[in-house]
Amino acid sequence: MHHRLKVDAPSGTALQMARLLPVALGRDLHDCAVYSREGVTGGTRSVNHWLAVLRGGDCVGEHTVVFAGIGERVEITHRASSRSTFSAGALRAARLLPGEAPACTA
């Protein structure tokens, strides 16, 4: 979920998360991704990877990965309450690049 004015969907973070999960399971995202459902669509296959997009209010960023099985569900969620979180993370990542200097310091 992101704020109501975000123009792309899914977000880059959601897409990157969606790309990594099938790889870990030996699958290809293009073979198992489902981006939306509407109407009577029937049941689901266990190999599907669903991407649902929400936009509303002033939510900076919230991403949840759900592993759903019969009788149980595991959820991993990241919530950002400030955009400064992303710039600080980008600067930390830039410092890890070999031979590269960050453009600015925090």
Side-chain angles (χ1 to χ4, degrees):
M1 179 171 188
H2 286 277
H3 56 89
R4 65 185 181 83
L5 300 176
K6 185 160 179 59
V7 296
D8 62 323
S11 69
T13 301
L15 283 174
Q16 184 60 18
M17 291 170 68
R19 286 184 190 112
L20 293 173
L21 291 172
V23 169
L25 299 171
R27 299 178 184 145
D28 185 294
L29 179 65
H30 299 291
D31 294 334
C32 58
V34 178
Y35 291 90
S36 65
R37 294 183 61 157
E38 184 177 340
V40 179
T41 60
T44 64
R45 297 181 304 141
S46 62
V47 297
N48 284 344
H49 297 270
W50 301 93
L51 287 92
V53 175
L54 298 172
R55 298 286 185 257
D58 60 355
C59 178
V60 172
E62 181 174 317
H63 300 87
T64 300
V65 177
V66 178
F67 300 94
I70 304 300
E72 65 180 343
R73 183 175 69 236
V74 175
E75 298 181 12
I76 301 170
T77 299
H78 171 261
R79 290 183 182 96
S81 56
S82 169
R83 288 191 175 114
S84 65
T85 299
F86 301 116
S87 59
L91 288 171
R92 282 194 304 274
R95 290 185 189 106
L96 296 174
L97 296 173
E100 299 290 330
C104 60
T105 59

